[in-house]
Amino acid sequence: MKNARLVLPAALLGAAILALTAVSPGAPPDLRVTLERLVRTARETNGAYDTIRSLTDSVGPRLSGSPGDARAVAWVKAALTARGFSNVHPEAVTVPHWERGEESGEIVSPVPFRLSLCALGGSVGTPPGGVEAEVVEAQSLEGVDALGEKAKGRIVLVWKVMERRSDGSGYGATVPIRGAAASRAAKMGAVGALIRSVGTSNARLPHTGSLRYEEGVPKIPAAALANPDADLLHRLLAEGKTVRVRFALSARTLPDALSANVVGEIPGREKPEEIVVLSGHLDSWDLGQGAVDDGAGLGIAIEAARLIGQLPRRPRRTVRVVAFANEENGLAGARAYAVAHAAELPFHAAAIECDSGAGRVSGFAWTAGPSAERVLANVAEILKPFGLGEVKKGGGGADVGALRAAGVPLLSPIQDVSRYFDIHHSADDTFDKIDREELNTGVAAMAALAWALADSEAPLERIPEAERVAPRRER
Amino acid sequence: MKNARLVLPAALLGAAILALTAVSPGAPPDLRVTLERLVRTARETNGAYDTIRSLTDSVGPRLSGSPGDARAVAWVKAALTARGFSNVHPEAVTVPHWERGEESGEIVSPVPFRLSLCALGGSVGTPPGGVEAEVVEAQSLEGVDALGEKAKGRIVLVWKVMERRSDGSGYGATVPIRGAAASRAAKMGAVGALIRSVGTSNARLPHTGSLRYEEGVPKIPAAALANPDADLLHRLLAEGKTVRVRFALSARTLPDALSANVVGEIPGREKPEEIVVLSGHLDSWDLGQGAVDDGAGLGIAIEAARLIGQLPRRPRRTVRVVAFANEENGLAGARAYAVAHAAELPFHAAAIECDSGAGRVSGFAWTAGPSAERVLANVAEILKPFGLGEVKKGGGGADVGALRAAGVPLLSPIQDVSRYFDIHHSADDTFDKIDREELNTGVAAMAALAWALADSEAPLERIPEAERVAPRRER
């Protein structure tokens, strides 16, 4: 056991903080000085920008199990070492290994047209010549069920428009289709499934992402159409045309492969055994460079931690950068971390996840015990003049979600994602999409937040027992 | 000879108009009534929008000589007939027949990455396995010449950013590279040529367009890279990396094929033998649907003429819609029209070409004899309250340019093209990019302009002899 405080119940800790903040409301003056310094430095830095450029241009796409994934592990290790982090090391993770292969599609009739589509992650391949069938449309998963006999032997198109919203809520409203369309269509006897991309762009680039096959249901091939292509099929069908489509995927799932989470630390000066995790994920989809998903998040995490390490005094607790493996299609990295660090989780004071792109950050979201609200309000008050002071409940992410069961307070940036879903999971996720100034709002906010969490006298109140199980969320 | 006025010198006609407008300055009241009526009707119509939708969705891509080209000829014929045009007929044109085939490319080293590229129109194919070589960069055609020995056995990348401007002037500054890069690189001994796309989008979709091989120079394969891909190569080279690229094109030129210009008319009530041409082109590049290039122009031309035909009284002269064949890679349709109608050209009172997309129109540009300025100012004055009253010199286009030698006054819309070059010549040129309200500004302006030209007592003064040869312009 590393720390006697482990035996102190979390609720008591929370109460202690509450008492402290009640005695001295407002932010401590030295906290203000440090946060303002971090924000000012972060706004001028090229650090995150150059880090993302190096990752995207020298590693490229890095889907779990691919050669790029292995390059990414080596790159993170080298990058953390070069930036002066301590205790840099990979932690082995067994990951799924799915390969896209080649893919093509076309409208066969009424008029030939080459379609822009991509296999959904995890899809089975088609027979070598592809599948060809008449297309029937549904506009929701329930609509697929309602097709009944009409879907038999057909290709089912699920056509639903993802709405553009700055908070990303349009994603939650459509992404369940990506996960479930294939099995729902297969249950109705369909031979293939197509979806309108879960993305907001009208460029002819499809958006991939994972599907989930239900057990006991035939696995049928599934692909996302670029939105203009889905809309073309939708228009033709709305006119009452009989539309035949052929598509061919050579996608396949190979035996599991070895990857790694990569860790590096800025050791704490007083309580080095207490940890504030600052994280992004090192894998990416294969179509683009993984610049905004999640080169940006990883770049922000690394640079924010580096800036903390550059301060004249280290924070009380250790800031640990974690580059998670396999966020996109398995979360094996998140699970492996939670298992490997199980004994340490009670000393995890907080876990921050950056995985919502490179857009402007306006503050942070949190999930913790109720007393955290007042503590974080002090941080927000300091950040407000910089446009970084928004606070709301509901922080977390797919990777740090694995720490929720242990009650670890979870935090994440509040980020403008109104353009994120134009490029997310598509070939368009390339370095040129990064705006340095917007990116640095994330570096500033996360550096400040991580410092505040790592240097406070007492850690945040942990997530109450009753809230430690979260509903499943699609990524 | 159809018209005795043929013997009257054009200059005398111009002087007659000048005299007329000098006697009664300002627009005639009945002209005002008709133009205002046309503009109001045009703003409400779904006509052009539905026409473009029908063309793009039921014909699709229609590169000269392809099956889509033949479908387009049939479609225009049917569309003009269905809309009540007279004298609807195709006029045969022999066109080049180039086929794209399959294409692929990748960075081989320093790090593998699949490139988004497309053959330039007219390019030869590569050997089946593609060409693979180290990449050397130039930033202009002169820069290619200056590479000298460094280009030998290499792939030359010409990297120049096209600037986004509402008047499209960024296109003129970069498109010569598309035409000439291959032969300029071949002269230096290069084995392949790549260019940054002549387009303004940062989507990973390359922009095609014609190249021209110089006689006596080896024909090397040439492709356009999507801009993010070109920028990636540029960044790697700027870092001093040795970059090897492989690309494979199965493009080929087949024997010439048969296509057609398609013509339809609103016959004039007084001088039906005098013609105002209102035109777009029926061919398109093969990557998209040809929605903005030039479904939009053709849709505007057809709908503007249809609205004129719906008026209670026909204009004095005939309004002739011409859907030109082969604008994109040969201009064979334009040349064939000029030849087939040579005897009629002296009776061509004007020719309007719509070929700059579906963006907002603010007026029109003209090329004619000097006295036209005052006549057209009267038209513009009526259109000004509708935001359509901008006038400038320099009207014309690639197709009607063939009529310049005969002195035919040439006109074209002044159109906001700031977003046009995001999708022009790329897979992104699809129907969903059309905004009905913006499109209708073009219908309104062109209907009004065509009426004014077709119903005036005297035609516009013709282009002075000295100005009848225009410099070559890339398309």
Side-chain angles (χ1 to χ4, degrees):
Chain A
M1 189 176 292
K2 287 185 184 175
N3 190 328
R5 194 170 293 134
L6 177 60
V7 296
L8 192 68
L12 280 188
L13 274 177
I17 300 159
L18 207 60
L20 261 171
T21 51
V23 170
S24 68
D30 63 331
L31 178 63
R32 180 181 301 274
V33 168
T34 305
L35 296 202
E36 289 182 358
R37 177 173 177 161
L38 280 169
V39 168
R40 290 210 179 88
T41 312
R43 291 201 297 196
E44 297 308 313
T45 179
N46 280 319
Y49 191 73
D50 289 345
T51 296
I52 299 165
R53 172 178 163 164
S54 169
L55 173 64
T56 53
D57 286 2
S58 72
V59 171
R62 45 198 183 277
L63 188 58
S64 293
S66 70
D69 187 31
R71 283 196 299 272
V73 168
W75 178 92
V76 178
K77 210 176 144 214
L80 292 176
T81 304
R83 284 160 184 75
F85 284 81
S86 301
N87 190 23
V88 176
H89 66 279
E91 302 182 350
V93 180
T94 301
V95 294
H97 186 187
W98 177 82
E99 243 184 28
R100 175 173 307 280
E102 298 300 318
E103 47 205 11
S104 65
E106 66 201 337
I107 300 178
V108 176
S109 65
V111 159
F113 187 66
R114 190 181 287 211
L115 292 167
S116 174
L117 57 72
C118 70
L120 292 179
S123 175
V124 296
T126 62
V131 292
E132 180 184 324
E134 198 182 315
V135 176
V136 290
E137 179 181 321
Q139 302 193 359
S140 65
L141 291 171
E142 297 67 35
V144 176
D145 302 341
L147 287 172
E149 278 293 306
K150 274 184 260 174
K152 200 165 179 178
R154 304 281 167 80
I155 292 170
V156 170
L157 164 67
V158 191
W159 184 87
K160 183 175 163 79
V161 175
M162 176 180 164
E163 287 181 32
R164 182 186 301 278
R165 299 205 189 118
S166 63
D167 67 353
S169 54
Y171 190 63
T174 41
V175 73
I177 291 170
R178 191 186 72 208
S183 287
R184 296 283 272 266
K187 281 184 194 170
M188 300 296 117
V191 296
L194 295 173
I195 65 166
R196 192 180 191 276
S197 279
V198 180
T200 45
S201 169
N202 69 354
R204 288 192 63 214
L205 295 167
H207 298 242
T208 190
S210 287
L211 58 69
R212 285 190 317 280
Y213 287 124
E214 277 182 54
E215 280 201 42
V217 177
K219 294 181 179 181
I220 62 173
L225 290 161
N227 290 336
D229 299 66
D231 294 351
L232 170 59
L233 294 182
H234 172 73
R235 288 195 302 273
L236 295 172
L237 291 166
E239 283 173 9
K241 297 253 170 65
T242 298
V243 180
R244 284 187 76 79
V245 159
R246 187 198 67 82
F247 71 97
L249 314 176
S250 68
R252 58 185 185 153
T253 299
L254 299 163
D256 285 351
L258 203 62
S259 182
N261 297 325
V262 184
V263 168
E265 296 177 342
I266 307 294
R269 73 172 193 277
E270 274 182 18
K271 303 166 180 179
E273 70 287 355
E274 293 191 16
I275 311 289
V276 171
V277 166
L278 189 45
S279 72
H281 63 85
L282 63 78
D283 64 319
S284 83
W285 281 106
D286 53 334
L287 298 169
Q289 288 186 310
V292 305
D293 187 13
D294 186 29
L298 196 54
I300 289 170
I302 292 173
E303 182 64 7
R306 189 188 73 84
L307 293 181
I308 289 172
Q310 296 285 314
L311 292 173
R313 198 174 62 156
R314 288 174 170 182
R316 286 189 170 88
R317 293 177 194 80
T318 292
V319 174
R320 176 185 288 172
V321 169
V322 183
F324 284 105
N326 186 227
E327 192 275 342
E328 295 294 2
N329 59 338
L331 290 176
R335 284 194 302 273
Y337 183 90
V339 170
H341 296 268
E344 227 185 22
L345 294 189
F347 305 96
H348 275 55
I352 303 171
E353 177 164 337
C354 305
D355 188 16
S356 44
R360 190 170 296 283
V361 168
S362 56
F364 55 87
W366 61 278
T367 304
S371 68
E373 186 158 13
R374 292 183 62 181
V375 182
L376 294 170
N378 285 344
V379 177
E381 184 248 312
I382 299 172
L383 296 178
K384 196 159 264 172
F386 303 98
L388 304 170
E390 196 181 344
V391 192
K392 67 176 186 190
K393 291 194 181 175
D399 284 316
V400 299
L403 310 181
R404 190 181 183 111
V408 179
L410 306 178
L411 300 102
S412 48
I414 299 176
Q415 203 152 10
D416 179 354
V417 294
S418 52
R419 295 192 319 277
Y420 178 58
F421 291 104
D422 284 348
I423 58 182
H424 169 263
H425 291 195
S426 85
D428 245 350
D429 186 0
T430 47
F431 176 70
D432 54 285
K433 309 303 186 301
I434 306 278
D435 179 277
R436 193 182 67 95
E437 189 256 327
E438 292 190 0
L439 177 71
N440 281 349
T441 61
V443 177
M446 293 305 103
L449 179 63
W451 172 273
L453 296 168
D455 198 55
S456 62
E457 290 204 16
L460 286 188
E461 184 185 357
R462 296 173 82 83
I463 299 176
E465 288 283 353
E467 296 168 26
R468 292 187 183 183
V469 180
R472 185 189 174 87
R473 285 202 295 193
E474 303 285 342
R475 295 173 303 285
Chain B
M1 190 175 294
K2 287 182 181 178
N3 190 327
R5 193 167 295 138
L6 178 59
V7 297
L8 193 67
L12 279 188
L13 275 177
I17 301 161
L18 208 60
L20 261 173
T21 52
V23 169
S24 69
D30 62 331
L31 179 63
R32 180 180 300 275
V33 168
T34 306
L35 296 201
E36 289 182 356
R37 177 175 178 157
L38 280 169
V39 168
R40 290 210 179 87
T41 313
R43 292 202 295 195
E44 297 308 314
T45 180
N46 279 319
Y49 190 73
D50 290 345
T51 295
I52 299 165
R53 173 178 162 164
S54 168
L55 173 64
T56 52
D57 286 4
S58 73
V59 171
R62 45 197 182 277
L63 189 58
S64 293
S66 69
D69 188 30
R71 285 197 299 273
V73 169
W75 179 92
V76 178
K77 209 177 143 210
L80 293 176
T81 304
R83 284 160 183 75
F85 284 81
S86 301
N87 190 24
V88 175
H89 65 280
E91 302 182 350
V93 180
T94 300
V95 295
H97 187 189
W98 177 82
E99 244 183 29
R100 175 173 306 281
E102 299 299 318
E103 46 205 10
S104 65
E106 65 200 337
I107 300 178
V108 176
S109 64
V111 160
F113 187 67
R114 190 181 287 209
L115 292 167
S116 175
L117 56 73
C118 70
L120 292 180
S123 175
V124 297
T126 62
V131 291
E132 181 184 325
E134 197 181 316
V135 177
V136 289
E137 178 180 321
Q139 302 193 358
S140 65
L141 291 171
E142 297 68 34
V144 176
D145 302 341
L147 286 173
E149 279 293 306
K150 275 185 258 174
K152 199 165 182 179
R154 304 281 167 81
I155 292 170
V156 169
L157 164 67
V158 190
W159 184 87
K160 184 174 163 77
V161 175
M162 176 180 163
E163 287 182 32
R164 182 186 301 278
R165 299 206 189 117
S166 64
D167 67 354
S169 55
Y171 190 64
T174 42
V175 74
I177 291 171
R178 190 186 72 209
S183 286
R184 296 283 272 267
K187 281 184 195 169
M188 300 295 118
V191 296
L194 295 173
I195 64 166
R196 193 181 191 273
S197 279
V198 180
T200 44
S201 169
N202 69 353
R204 287 192 61 214
L205 295 167
H207 299 241
T208 189
S210 286
L211 59 69
R212 286 191 317 280
Y213 286 123
E214 277 183 54
E215 278 200 44
V217 177
K219 294 181 180 181
I220 61 172
L225 290 162
N227 290 337
D229 298 66
D231 294 351
L232 170 59
L233 293 182
H234 172 72
R235 288 196 302 274
L236 293 172
L237 291 166
E239 282 173 10
K241 297 252 170 65
T242 299
V243 179
R244 284 188 76 80
V245 159
R246 188 199 66 82
F247 70 98
L249 313 175
S250 68
R252 58 186 185 154
T253 298
L254 299 164
D256 285 351
L258 204 62
S259 182
N261 296 325
V262 184
V263 168
E265 295 177 343
I266 307 293
R269 72 172 192 276
E270 275 181 17
K271 304 168 178 175
E273 70 288 354
E274 293 191 17
I275 310 289
V276 171
V277 166
L278 189 45
S279 71
H281 63 86
L282 63 77
D283 64 319
S284 82
W285 281 107
D286 53 335
L287 298 169
Q289 290 186 309
V292 305
D293 187 14
D294 186 31
L298 196 53
I300 288 169
I302 291 173
E303 181 65 7
R306 189 188 73 83
L307 293 180
I308 289 171
Q310 296 285 313
L311 291 173
R313 200 175 61 158
R314 288 174 169 182
R316 286 189 171 90
R317 295 177 192 80
T318 293
V319 174
R320 175 183 290 172
V321 168
V322 182
F324 285 105
N326 186 228
E327 191 275 341
E328 294 294 3
N329 59 337
L331 290 176
R335 284 194 302 273
Y337 182 90
V339 169
H341 296 268
E344 229 185 21
L345 293 189
F347 306 97
H348 275 54
I352 304 171
E353 176 164 338
C354 305
D355 187 17
S356 44
R360 189 171 296 283
V361 168
S362 56
F364 54 87
W366 62 277
T367 304
S371 68
E373 184 158 15
R374 293 182 61 180
V375 181
L376 294 170
N378 285 343
V379 177
E381 185 248 311
I382 299 172
L383 296 178
K384 197 159 263 175
F386 302 98
L388 305 170
E390 196 180 346
V391 192
K392 68 177 186 190
K393 291 193 181 176
D399 284 316
V400 300
L403 311 181
R404 190 180 184 113
V408 180
L410 306 179
L411 300 103
S412 47
I414 300 176
Q415 201 152 12
D416 179 354
V417 294
S418 51
R419 295 191 319 277
Y420 179 58
F421 291 104
D422 284 349
I423 58 183
H424 168 263
H425 291 196
S426 84
D428 244 351
D429 185 1
T430 48
F431 177 70
D432 53 287
K433 308 304 186 301
I434 306 278
D435 178 278
R436 193 181 67 94
E437 188 256 327
E438 291 190 0
L439 176 72
N440 281 350
T441 61
V443 178
M446 293 305 104
L449 179 63
W451 173 273
L453 296 168
D455 197 55
S456 63
E457 290 203 19
L460 287 189
E461 184 185 357
R462 296 174 82 83
I463 299 177
E465 288 283 353
E467 297 168 25
R468 292 189 183 182
V469 179
R472 185 188 173 87
R473 285 204 295 194
E474 302 285 341
R475 293 173 305 285

